[in-house]
Amino acid sequence: MWTLRRAFVHSIKAQGLRTGTIQTCGALQSASSQVEETLSSFEHPKCTLHRRSTSRRFYNTVQIACKFSMGTCGISSQAGARSGGVEDDDLEDGFSELGTPESSEVVLHTHLDDDNELVSEPELSDAGEDDGEEDPENELVSDTEVDVTETSSQRKRFPSAMFRAIMDDPSQSAYNALDKYVASGIELSRSEISVAMLNLRRRRMFSKALQLSEWLEMNKRLDFVERDYASRVDLIAKVRGLQKAEIYIDSIPKSCRGEVVYRTLLANCVVANNVKKAEEVFNKMKDLGFPVTSFACNQLLLLYKRIDKKKIADVLLLMEKENVKPSAFTYRILIDTKGRSNDIAGMDQIVEAMKAEGVEPDLQTLASLARHYAAGGLNEKAEAVLKEMEGTNLKLNRGVCRHLLPIYADLGNADEVARVWELCESKPTLHECMAAIDAFGKLKKIKEAEAVFDKMVETWKKLSSRHYSAMLKVYTSHKMLSKGKDLVKRMADSGCHIGPLTWDALVKLYVEAGEVEKADAILQKAVQQNQGKPMFSSYLAILEQYAKRGDIHNSEKMFYRMRQTGYVSRARPFYSLLQAYINAKAPAYGIRERMKADNVFPNKALAAQLVQVDAFRKTAVSDLLD
């Protein structure tokens, strides 16, 4: 564990950063003294690691205080960004938001009879609905083991009659549908309930899933155990919010109010990017005597990876003090953090520490390494990792093809993309088809991408809108507006559910075509239809276009709508909003107070913007006039 923390910290030290001293937000160095003053004017909430002796179990251990007024290890990766302009680290980690839905984050998927914890949305189904899920290649997959009494293939093979009854009921109420279902004399089994719940969750029909859970308890159709209550907590958090979920926990019998229930709440706090609440729940778990697990620590790592990477080292220190062994997922988070900061040397050190602990990189970790090498321009290293992933016989290792296709495309290697697709083409999986469409799109081979899509349509009777969206993204990236419109009409005609993922592709399609007002109108209609929560990237794409124009009115309107939807306490929208004021050459009155109210603390990029929009800033000319 010490080796891992040293590896994470060492790459920062190599860049001349101090890691053993207190480092406040205002300590970021800038050539401009005004930027320094702006940074220091914000009192950054910091994390205190202190010793506690509240119980014998955690005597003399490290606790992360919920107020986070910390005086140790101010650590931050300041490696150069991949592209010009503003550094990635100076804004926010792209993993959580940019071009991806909010669920980037990990989504809790606790089934009533399973031992599932957290899984990423792409793992749930090959034929899921349009749920705004993360692109598999951008998603970090959970470290949890899935102990399932029935295999996923069995569940796909035998659809749930209960689920079909809920879906087909004209009243749109799960309560009514379930009353009718049991009135026909059908006996309910835990297995049947589990499959129905799984199908509802796959389609992100959390409201109906919650109704199912409530109906089961009200009608005493199921003897609830801890994981059933945990499932309810998860659904309440998703449908009604974290506060309601907390209130519900107090009503759970003490015998069932265990670690699984609280880690479910913790995971939802992380999904919501609620740092304060996540830290409170984490500390409450310790106070209740639950052991500190790699699962809980990984949740904090995921949160800080997106919100405040300086705190990652503090979690690693906590794990070291509590003798918590890092899981494969822990390493994957750290590798991805370094890779997205373009800190390739730091990433390699994490891999070395991982291997030194006897943990070999799995397929997803290797894919992450290859993507980061490719993004950093290290093509030879990326290709070496890809060859390692392939193994000696790609035919016997077909599962890797879906990872190889887009990464070879990132490298611009059309021959390798063609070689891998040729192996899959005779009998491809849906994942392989989607990866091939993505790869050919990156290579600007539209006809080849369309051919793969046509094959997909011919092979499977009914595609989900997620599969249509793969082709739609290609049209969007190449500004093919008319083809994109035709594809959406084709989706509607096929009976596909059109949700957040499709809206996002449509919005970006019109934005890329220069029709931002049309994109705005589409997003507004989507919200009014109340068929799901639009993705963060949909709002951001429109906001950025208004900001480029210097359109303060529409930028503020979009910023307000993002807040209404629940996208708060994020630095990226403030960055775009400030850019609108800069381009309009107008002061932004009260913007600092707005940021403080949202617990958004400026990094170098935001601090530089704040200086430009400060109505009361002093210049050489203003001093002369005064």
Side-chain angles (χ1 to χ4, degrees):
M1 185 67 225
W2 180 80
T3 305
L4 175 62
R5 185 164 60 88
R6 183 181 62 174
F8 190 83
V9 172
H10 178 73
S11 63
I12 301 169
K13 282 186 175 181
Q15 299 169 55
L17 298 177
R18 297 176 299 159
T19 61
T21 59
I22 298 176
Q23 186 176 35
T24 66
C25 182
L28 293 173
Q29 294 187 3
S30 170
S32 167
S33 60
Q34 288 180 308
V35 172
E36 289 181 351
E37 291 172 4
T38 298
L39 286 167
S40 60
S41 69
F42 283 77
E43 184 181 353
H44 199 294
K46 305 198 77 182
C47 152
T48 300
L49 299 181
H50 59 85
R51 298 187 181 277
R52 294 181 57 91
S53 57
T54 55
S55 68
R56 286 181 299 173
R57 190 170 197 172
F58 293 110
Y59 178 76
N60 204 32
T61 59
V62 177
Q63 168 90 355
I64 299 184
C66 59
K67 295 203 175 189
F68 271 76
S69 53
M70 168 180 180
T72 183
C73 298
I75 296 174
S76 155
S77 176
Q78 298 293 333
R82 293 173 184 159
S83 56
V86 180
E87 291 185 4
D88 291 340
D89 274 354
D90 280 345
L91 293 176
E92 250 175 283
D93 184 23
F95 164 77
S96 63
E97 296 175 352
L98 301 181
T100 58
E102 187 192 35
S103 73
S104 146
E105 308 128 17
V106 218
V107 181
L108 192 72
H109 196 282
T110 308
H111 307 313
L112 294 179
D113 66 340
D114 296 343
D115 195 29
N116 289 354
E117 295 174 2
L118 289 180
V119 298
S120 70
E121 286 288 357
E123 290 183 307
L124 300 181
S125 172
D126 280 355
E129 296 299 320
D130 183 352
D131 52 10
E133 65 184 276
E134 192 82 49
D135 186 341
E137 76 174 57
N138 292 332
E139 175 66 38
L140 282 176
V141 185
S142 171
D143 59 332
T144 56
E145 295 292 334
V146 180
D147 178 16
V148 191
T149 55
E150 293 177 302
T151 66
S152 59
S153 61
Q154 286 175 320
R155 286 177 171 170
K156 290 175 185 176
R157 198 176 302 129
F158 302 108
S160 165
M162 176 187 284
F163 167 73
R164 184 45 52 198
I166 294 172
M167 295 296 292
D168 292 343
D169 191 83
S171 68
Q172 298 297 311
S173 168
Y175 301 118
N176 294 337
L178 291 165
D179 287 338
K180 295 175 185 176
Y181 185 71
V182 296
S184 62
I186 298 175
E187 289 292 328
L188 297 183
S189 67
R190 182 171 280 273
S191 174
E192 171 75 1
I193 293 167
S194 177
V195 176
M197 185 68 77
L198 171 62
N199 278 295
L200 291 170
R201 284 179 172 274
R202 278 179 176 171
R203 290 154 178 81
R204 297 182 68 81
M205 294 179 174
F206 299 126
S207 181
K208 287 191 175 183
L210 178 57
Q211 290 178 24
L212 170 58
S213 177
E214 290 174 339
W215 182 89
L216 290 168
E217 188 175 20
M218 285 188 300
N219 291 276
K220 302 187 185 306
R221 294 284 180 171
L222 189 69
D223 292 329
F224 270 51
V225 296
E226 183 181 357
R227 291 194 174 275
D228 301 321
Y229 288 112
S231 177
R232 174 78 67 80
V233 170
D234 173 54
L235 292 169
I236 292 173
K238 284 176 167 60
V239 176
R240 298 169 186 164
L242 295 173
Q243 186 177 6
K244 295 290 186 182
E246 273 193 293
I247 294 172
Y248 175 74
I249 288 177
D250 293 334
S251 70
I252 297 175
K254 284 189 177 180
S255 60
C256 294
R257 207 184 304 166
E259 190 259 347
V260 174
V261 168
Y262 282 98
R263 76 180 179 201
T264 300
L265 181 62
L266 173 63
N268 276 282
C269 293
V270 172
V271 169
N273 286 331
N274 193 326
V275 177
K276 182 179 179 182
K277 182 58 66 178
E279 291 164 354
E280 286 178 358
V281 173
F282 182 88
N283 287 327
K284 185 170 184 177
M285 291 172 69
K286 288 195 68 179
D287 292 338
L288 289 171
F290 299 134
V292 178
T293 63
S294 62
F295 177 92
C297 292
N298 286 344
Q299 295 306 303
L300 291 183
L301 289 174
L302 280 173
L303 181 64
Y304 296 148
K305 177 181 180 296
R306 299 192 296 267
I307 304 299
D308 188 356
K309 286 189 279 291
K310 295 188 293 295
K311 292 181 180 178
I312 288 179
D314 303 312
V315 179
L316 297 179
L317 176 62
L318 171 68
M319 294 175 70
E320 184 179 331
K321 294 287 185 180
E322 297 283 357
N323 293 318
V324 176
K325 186 177 180 180
S327 66
F329 190 49
T330 308
Y331 290 107
R332 201 179 309 151
I333 294 170
L334 299 178
I335 287 169
D336 195 64
T337 301
K338 289 295 184 182
R340 289 186 178 275
S341 301
N342 205 25
D343 184 0
I344 302 301
M347 185 175 73
D348 288 341
Q349 288 176 4
I350 299 296
V351 175
E352 290 173 7
M354 180 181 186
K355 291 180 178 179
E357 293 293 326
V359 181
E360 287 298 319
D362 58 17
L363 178 61
Q364 290 170 330
T365 302
L366 290 173
S368 179
L369 283 170
R371 282 195 299 272
H372 293 312
Y373 285 141
L378 301 174
N379 291 9
E380 290 185 2
K381 295 190 77 170
E383 289 176 355
V385 174
L386 292 174
K387 292 301 180 184
E388 180 182 350
M389 292 168 63
E390 283 192 36
T392 55
N393 191 331
L394 188 56
K395 288 183 179 180
L396 299 177
N397 194 20
R398 275 283 297 274
V400 77
C401 292
R402 55 180 288 207
H403 298 288
L404 298 178
L405 287 164
I407 303 175
Y408 273 128
D410 289 335
L411 294 170
N413 197 330
D415 291 339
E416 288 297 297
V417 170
R419 176 182 67 85
V420 175
W421 174 243
E422 184 179 359
L423 179 69
C424 306
E425 191 172 9
S426 60
K427 195 176 180 180
T429 66
L430 278 166
H431 278 307
E432 288 168 349
C433 287
M434 293 176 68
I437 291 170
D438 180 32
F440 285 126
K442 289 177 179 178
L443 295 171
K444 300 181 180 180
K445 295 190 173 186
I446 309 301
K447 289 184 178 180
E448 286 83 348
E450 290 175 332
V452 176
F453 179 76
D454 290 339
K455 184 178 185 65
M456 197 162 59
V457 173
E458 293 170 5
T459 306
W460 287 273
K461 293 180 180 179
K462 184 178 180 181
L463 296 176
S464 77
S465 47
R466 178 162 60 98
H467 304 125
Y468 278 94
S469 294
M471 192 67 232
L472 190 55
K473 286 179 182 178
V474 174
Y475 290 143
T476 298
S477 61
H478 293 88
K479 302 181 181 180
M480 303 174 74
L481 184 58
S482 60
K483 285 201 170 189
K485 287 181 179 179
D486 291 340
L487 184 61
V488 173
K489 291 177 182 176
R490 188 174 171 184
M491 289 173 61
D493 292 341
S494 70
C496 279
H497 168 69
I498 295 180
L501 197 64
T502 309
W503 302 336
D504 185 63
L506 268 175
V507 164
K508 291 176 180 176
L509 183 66
Y510 279 98
V511 165
E512 289 296 325
E515 298 185 27
V516 64
E517 288 81 6
K518 180 66 175 177
D520 193 345
I522 288 172
L523 190 59
Q524 185 64 14
K525 288 179 182 177
V527 173
Q528 291 170 354
Q529 290 175 4
N530 197 27
Q531 293 296 313
K533 181 178 179 179
M535 291 162 53
F536 175 85
S537 57
S538 303
Y539 287 104
L540 188 63
I542 298 172
L543 175 58
E544 287 179 339
Q545 289 303 308
Y546 283 139
K548 286 179 182 178
R549 296 179 178 181
D551 187 340
I552 294 174
H553 172 75
N554 281 313
S555 295
E556 285 282 10
K557 179 187 72 175
M558 190 56 56
F559 186 85
Y560 174 71
R561 283 165 55 184
M562 293 175 80
R563 292 181 59 81
Q564 281 187 313
T565 309
Y567 296 120
V568 296
S569 300
R570 303 190 181 203
R572 190 71 191 218
F574 276 105
Y575 175 82
S576 298
L577 183 62
L578 285 169
Q579 198 60 46
Y581 281 94
I582 291 170
N583 291 340
K585 299 181 180 179
Y589 294 101
I591 194 69
R592 295 168 186 260
E593 289 70 26
R594 290 166 67 180
M595 292 176 66
K596 286 181 179 179
D598 272 6
N599 291 319
V600 174
F601 296 84
N603 44 44
K604 289 184 289 185
L606 282 172
Q609 287 184 310
L610 286 170
V611 170
Q612 296 182 65
V613 299
D614 187 353
F616 306 104
R617 65 172 173 160
K618 293 289 185 179
T619 64
V621 175
S622 63
D623 286 339
L624 287 174
L625 293 174
D626 290 342

